[in-house]
Amino acid sequence: MSLTEHKSTVKNQAILAKKAAKTVGLLSTEEKNEALLLIADQLEAEYETILRANEQDLQVGREKGYEAAFMDRLALSKERVYDFAEGLRQVAKLEDPIGHILSSWTLENGLEVQKITVPLGVIGMIYEARPNVTVDATGLALKSGNAIILKGGSSALTSNKSIVEVIHHALNKTKIPANAVQFISSTDREATKELFTLKDYIDVLIPRGGASLINAVVNNATVPVLETGVGNCHLYIDAKADVEKAVNILVNAKTDRPAVCNTVETVIIHEDWFRKNLHILIKLFNKYSIKVHGDTIVVSSIPEAIEAEEDDWANEYLSLEIAVKTVSSVDEAIAHIEKYGTKHSEAIVTEDKETALKFMREVDASSLYHNASTRFTDGGALGFGAEIGISTQKLHARGPMGLQALTTVKHLMSGNGQIR
Amino acid sequence: MSLTEHKSTVKNQAILAKKAAKTVGLLSTEEKNEALLLIADQLEAEYETILRANEQDLQVGREKGYEAAFMDRLALSKERVYDFAEGLRQVAKLEDPIGHILSSWTLENGLEVQKITVPLGVIGMIYEARPNVTVDATGLALKSGNAIILKGGSSALTSNKSIVEVIHHALNKTKIPANAVQFISSTDREATKELFTLKDYIDVLIPRGGASLINAVVNNATVPVLETGVGNCHLYIDAKADVEKAVNILVNAKTDRPAVCNTVETVIIHEDWFRKNLHILIKLFNKYSIKVHGDTIVVSSIPEAIEAEEDDWANEYLSLEIAVKTVSSVDEAIAHIEKYGTKHSEAIVTEDKETALKFMREVDASSLYHNASTRFTDGGALGFGAEIGISTQKLHARGPMGLQALTTVKHLMSGNGQIR
C-alpha cells in the first residue's frame, strides 16, 4: 500500500471514530453496560477463533526467537480470554463517570452554572505486545462514552485483529456503532505518525509501552498526550529504617513483578543502615538472585556487586537487577531521585516521621510511599476498579488513571437573557 | 548573539526556574501572599520607570505604524500600573490552591492514601503584546507555588523587561527567589522554539494570543501545552427564541468587546425567526455598524450584506463584523457549529426547553449557554477570582482557568510495612 493510501485509511478511520463518538457519548449507562456485557459474552463464545489467530502470532514470534517473557505476554489461552471477559463485566459494574455535576453555582445576576463531566471524544491507544490492552482499553473507553482507535504492536497483530472483529460482532447487536472501535492494522510507521497529528479527530493519545514508544509519541504528536508508565522508581532506606520493614519492602518492590513500571530500580541506602545491615543485604540479594550494580562503597562491600554506570542510575532494568547507592543524608537521596527519577513512584522506609514528611513533601512524583511498597501504584491495588495506564505527567491525570481520566468537563449556563 | 548562545541562555533560565520552583512550591500561603503584596507596592513605587520603558515601545510602535487597537493594548499609564498592583492584591486574597486534600481513603491492608494538590513546577507563558499578562501570570504562578518563564511579544519587550526588573526588586525582599520569574528577552524565533522543547525543566506551556501563535506552540512543543483562547463562537437563535432576549444577547455578545475570544463571530438563525424579525435585525446591524456576511437567504434579505465565504464561517473577525447563517432546524445549527466551532463558547436562545437541552447535550464546547451571552466565559465573570487564560482543549482544564489549573496532584501513601 502506498503512503497516501495509508494516510487516508488512518484519517478515514479517525473520521469514522469521531462520528461514532458522538453517538456513544449520548448513550445511557444501561446501554453502555449492556454493550460491555455482550462483548464479554462474545469473547467467550468466539474464544477459539481468537486462540487460532493468536497461534499465528506465536508462530511468528517463535520463528523470530522472541524471549520467553515477551512470548508469555503475547500468548493467550481459553482462561486468559475468559479473564478479558470477566474484566469487562467488572467495568460494567463501575460507576458511570459521565454526567456528574462537579460543581454548580448561581451568579448574582441569576445565571446558573453547572460544571459536568462529559466524554473526551476519541481516544488513540498506542501499545505494545499485550493483547489484553485491546479489550481493557476498549471497555474503559466505551464505559466512559468515548470512541477508541487501537494501534497495537505488530507482534500481536493477528490476535488483536481477531479480538476487534469479535468486539464488532458484539457491537452490531448494541446501540454502540461498531465504528466506535477502530483498529489500525497497518504496521507502517507512517500510518502511526499520521495518527499522532490527527488533532481534528482525536482528543488524546495514550501510549503504553517502553520509553522509546512513549518518546516517539511525545516527540511527534500534535494531539495531546497522556504519558504513561516509565517508572525509574527508587526506594530510600533511611538511617532510622526498621530492618524488617525495609527488607520486606525491598524484596516485594524488586521481585514481585520485576517487569512492571512500579517495581524499584534503585535502592538508596543511608550509609549507617548499610554498614549495620550489610550481611542481611548480601543474603537477600543472593537469595533472590538479584544482580547488584553499586557505587564505590557498595562494590567494596558486596562481593558480587559490579560498578554502576550512568545508565544504571538513569534507566529501568525491568528485571532482577538493581542499582544500589549509599548516601549520608535524606537530602542526598532526594537530590539523586530528582536527578534520575521519572516522577512515577518513590518510597522511603524510616521510623522518623519528620524525615518521612520531608521526603513526601520534597520529592516530585505521582506517588510517594512511607513504609510501603511502590507496587501499590496501580489502579486495581488502590481501588480505582480499573486502569487505563499510569500517568507520569502532571497535566490532566497523574498516577493511576481510572475512568475519570477519560472524561473532560462542560460548563452549562442557563439564564433568562443575561448579558454582560 | 549566535544560535548556540541563545539556546544555552534559554536553557539556563529554565534550569534556574526549575531550581527556584522547588523553593516556591514549599512556601506557606503567608509567605507567598507577602511576596505578592510587596510586588504590588514595588510596581506602584516604580511606575515611572515602567512608563519610561513603555514609552520606548510606543515610540517603536508609532514608527512601525501599528494600528490603534494594538497601540491601546500596549500603552501603559499610572492608572494601568496601579491596576496591575491591585490585581496582585486580589490574587493574594484568593484561597491558596496548594495542599488541598482532594480525597483520602484507607485500603483494607491499612495503607492510608491521600490525594493532595501540589504546584505544577515551571510554567512557560508565551504571549503577545499586552504587558498586563507579565504581571497577572506572575501573580497567579507564584500564588500557586510555581516558577514562571515569560516570553512576551517583541513589541512590548522594553515594557515587559522593566516590569520584570521591578518584580525582581520586590522578590529580593521575600522568600521567593528572583529566579522564580524568568523573562526571555531574546526575540529570536529559535530562542522561543528552544523553550518549546525543554521538557526536563518546564512542566507546561500556556500560549496566549492569536491562532498563529497557538498553532506554532502546539506544532513544535514537546512540553505539554494548555491551549487557550481561539474562540469562533456561535449564537443560535431558535424558531422559538424570545425576540428581546435574542436581540439583547446578540448585541452584547457581538459589540461589548469585539476583540476578545468570547465574542460571537457567527449568528445562526432559524429561518422562521429570521423572516419574522428581519426588520429588527436590519435595524440592529445598522445601529451598531455591524458588517454582515451571510448565506444566500441573508444576502437577498439584508440590503448591505455580502456573501459569506468559507473563511467567514471558519475564522474569528475580532471586530464589528459577523457571519449570519439561516437554518431550518436545531440539528442544522449543531452540525454547523460542529464543523466550524473551536469548542470555546456556544449559545442558544429559545423558550423551548427540549431544544435547549438538546443543544447543551450535543454541542461539544467548554461553555454552553441557554438564553445568556457568551461573554460570561471569563474567570472573573464566573467568579473564579482570576484567570490565566481560557482553555479550549479537553485535557487538564477546559474553559476559564483559575489558580486550580496551575496545580497537579500527588498521592501520599502512609503504611507500616505494607507489601503486595
Side-chain angles (χ1 to χ4, degrees), chain A residues 18-19 22 25-27 105 107 109 111 113 115 118-122 199-200 203-204 218-227 245 248-249 252-253 256 262 334-335 338 343 359-373 375-378 380-384 393-400 404-405 407-420, chain B residues 18-19 22 25-27 105 107 109 111 113 115 118-122 199-200 203-204 218-227 245 248-249 252-253 256 262 334-335 338 343 359-373 375-378 380-384 393-400 404-405 407-420:
Chain A
K18 186 177 176 177
K19 204 177 158 197
K22 225 186 132 163
L26 297 174
L27 294 180
W105 64 98
L107 301 188
N109 63 13
L111 188 68
V113 185
K115 187 175 169 183
V118 296
L120 283 172
V122 178
K199 212 169 171 293
D200 290 341
D203 293 289
V204 62
V218 168
N219 292 333
N220 294 292
T222 54
V223 177
V225 176
L226 278 177
E227 278 189 63
K245 287 177 191 166
N248 286 343
I249 291 170
N252 180 256
D256 182 39
N262 58 21
I334 292 171
E338 200 175 310
K343 301 185 167 58
F359 184 91
M360 309 275 267
R361 267 172 65 85
E362 295 189 16
V363 175
D364 182 18
S366 95
S367 307
L368 282 307
Y369 292 86
H370 174 210
N371 289 345
S373 169
R375 290 276 296 118
F376 288 101
T377 304
D378 174 273
L382 289 181
F384 291 15
Q393 67 180 44
K394 293 185 179 178
L395 292 192
H396 190 67
R398 196 179 198 202
Q404 209 194 338
T407 69
T408 182
V409 296
K410 255 186 189 181
H411 300 83
L412 304 182
M413 274 63 104
S414 299
N416 50 21
Q418 281 86 348
I419 59 170
R420 254 180 106 184
Chain B
K18 187 178 177 177
K19 204 176 157 198
K22 224 185 135 164
L26 296 174
L27 293 181
W105 64 99
L107 302 188
N109 63 13
L111 188 68
V113 185
K115 186 173 168 183
V118 296
L120 282 172
V122 178
K199 211 168 171 295
D200 290 341
D203 294 289
V204 62
V218 169
N219 292 333
N220 294 292
T222 55
V223 177
V225 176
L226 278 177
E227 278 188 62
K245 287 178 193 166
N248 286 342
I249 291 171
N252 180 256
D256 183 39
N262 57 23
I334 292 172
E338 198 175 312
K343 301 185 167 58
F359 185 90
M360 309 275 267
R361 265 173 67 85
E362 295 190 16
V363 174
D364 183 18
S366 93
S367 307
L368 281 307
Y369 292 86
H370 174 209
N371 289 346
S373 170
R375 289 274 297 120
F376 288 101
T377 305
D378 173 275
L382 288 181
F384 291 15
Q393 67 180 44
K394 292 185 180 177
L395 292 192
H396 191 67
R398 195 179 200 203
Q404 209 194 338
T407 69
T408 181
V409 296
K410 255 185 186 180
H411 299 84
L412 304 182
M413 274 64 106
S414 300
N416 50 21
Q418 280 87 345
I419 58 170
R420 254 180 105 184

Side-chain angles (χ1 to χ4, degrees), chain B residues 89-238:
Chain B
R89 293 187 185 110
Q90 292 302 320
V91 173
K93 283 184 196 153
L94 295 176
E95 196 187 358
D96 191 334
I98 301 305
H100 288 219
I101 300 172
L102 298 180
S103 53
S104 65
W105 64 99
T106 305
L107 302 188
E108 276 178 22
N109 63 13
L111 188 68
E112 292 169 17
V113 185
Q114 278 191 332
K115 186 173 168 183
I116 65 158
T117 55
V118 296
L120 282 172
V122 178
I123 294 162
M125 191 83 198
I126 301 155
Y127 52 108
E128 288 174 343
R130 312 186 189 194
N132 65 303
V133 177
T134 310
V135 180
D136 293 352
T138 298
L140 293 170
L142 297 179
K143 174 80 187 204
S144 51
N146 294 288
I148 189 162
I149 302 177
L150 299 155
K151 175 75 184 76
S154 56
S155 51
L157 186 65
T158 313
S159 313
N160 285 333
K161 247 183 174 166
S162 169
I163 291 170
V164 172
E165 270 166 29
V166 173
I167 291 171
H168 284 171
H169 293 164
L171 289 181
N172 287 334
K173 303 178 218 164
T174 75
K175 292 205 172 171
I176 297 181
N179 277 333
V181 181
Q182 296 286 335
F183 180 72
I184 296 186
S185 55
S186 165
T187 55
D188 190 321
R189 269 160 195 256
E190 291 305 318
T192 315
K193 280 205 180 161
E194 170 79 354
L195 192 68
F196 296 170
T197 57
L198 291 169
K199 211 168 171 295
D200 290 341
Y201 312 101
I202 304 175
D203 294 289
V204 62
L205 293 176
I206 307 180
R208 264 180 77 169
S212 71
L213 171 79
I214 290 164
N215 287 335
V217 176
V218 169
N219 292 333
N220 294 292
T222 55
V223 177
V225 176
L226 278 177
E227 278 188 62
T228 71
V230 176
N232 191 21
C233 307
H234 300 76
L235 172 66
Y236 170 55
I237 301 178
D238 184 50

Side-chain angles (χ1 to χ4, degrees), chain B residues 284-302:
Chain B
L284 182 162
F285 292 135
N286 270 331
K287 179 173 173 192
Y288 294 94
S289 306
I290 299 170
K291 189 170 169 188
V292 174
H293 305 255
D295 61 18
T296 319
I297 294 180
V298 171
V299 170
S300 64
S301 317
I302 300 181

Side-chain angles (χ1 to χ4, degrees), chain A residues 47-319:
Chain A
Y47 83 92
E48 286 174 318
T49 314
I50 295 170
L51 295 189
R52 273 195 301 273
N54 185 241
E55 184 46 44
Q56 290 185 46
D57 285 332
L58 291 171
Q59 183 57 33
V60 174
R62 279 187 292 263
E63 282 161 18
K64 292 196 174 169
Y66 290 142
E67 61 184 32
F70 187 91
M71 291 296 281
D72 177 58
R73 286 200 292 274
L74 180 59
L76 296 179
S77 61
K78 178 178 176 181
E79 199 195 345
R80 280 183 113 161
V81 175
Y82 273 60
D83 282 349
F84 296 171
E86 204 42 45
L88 289 176
R89 292 185 186 112
Q90 292 302 319
V91 172
K93 283 184 196 152
L94 295 176
E95 197 187 356
D96 191 333
I98 301 304
H100 289 218
I101 299 171
L102 298 179
S103 53
S104 64
W105 64 98
T106 306
L107 301 188
E108 276 179 22
N109 63 13
L111 188 68
E112 292 170 16
V113 185
Q114 277 192 335
K115 187 175 169 183
I116 67 158
T117 56
V118 296
L120 283 172
V122 178
I123 294 162
M125 191 84 198
I126 300 156
Y127 52 107
E128 287 174 343
R130 310 185 191 192
N132 65 302
V133 176
T134 310
V135 180
D136 294 352
T138 298
L140 294 170
L142 297 180
K143 175 80 187 204
S144 50
N146 294 289
I148 189 163
I149 301 176
L150 299 155
K151 175 75 184 79
S154 56
S155 52
L157 185 64
T158 314
S159 312
N160 285 332
K161 247 181 175 165
S162 168
I163 291 170
V164 172
E165 269 166 31
V166 174
I167 291 171
H168 284 170
H169 293 164
L171 289 181
N172 287 334
K173 302 178 218 164
T174 75
K175 291 205 172 171
I176 297 181
N179 277 334
V181 181
Q182 295 286 335
F183 180 73
I184 296 185
S185 55
S186 166
T187 54
D188 190 321
R189 271 163 192 253
E190 292 304 318
T192 315
K193 281 204 179 160
E194 170 79 356
L195 193 64
F196 296 170
T197 56
L198 291 169
K199 212 169 171 293
D200 290 341
Y201 312 102
I202 305 175
D203 293 289
V204 62
L205 293 176
I206 306 180
R208 266 181 75 168
S212 70
L213 171 77
I214 289 164
N215 287 335
V217 177
V218 168
N219 292 333
N220 294 292
T222 54
V223 177
V225 176
L226 278 177
E227 278 189 63
T228 70
V230 175
N232 191 21
C233 306
H234 300 76
L235 173 66
Y236 170 55
I237 301 178
D238 183 52
K240 295 187 182 158
D242 175 84
V243 175
E244 196 186 333
K245 287 177 191 166
V247 166
N248 286 343
I249 291 170
L250 173 56
V251 169
N252 180 256
K254 182 69 246 181
T255 70
D256 182 39
R257 283 188 67 191
V260 298
C261 60
N262 58 21
T263 199
V264 155
E265 304 292 359
T266 296
V267 59
I268 306 171
I269 309 178
H270 193 284
E271 51 196 25
D272 296 349
W273 197 96
F274 182 82
R275 272 193 299 271
K276 246 182 282 172
N277 300 290
L278 180 59
H279 58 291
I280 298 177
L281 285 170
I282 293 175
K283 213 155 50 175
L284 181 162
F285 291 135
N286 270 331
K287 180 172 172 193
Y288 293 94
S289 307
I290 299 169
K291 189 170 168 188
V292 174
H293 305 256
D295 62 19
T296 320
I297 294 180
V298 172
V299 170
S300 64
S301 317
I302 299 181
E304 285 166 5
I306 55 175
E307 210 178 311
E309 294 171 14
E310 183 63 15
D311 246 19
D312 294 295
W313 307 124
N315 295 315
E316 298 174 275
Y317 293 113
L318 299 173
S319 66

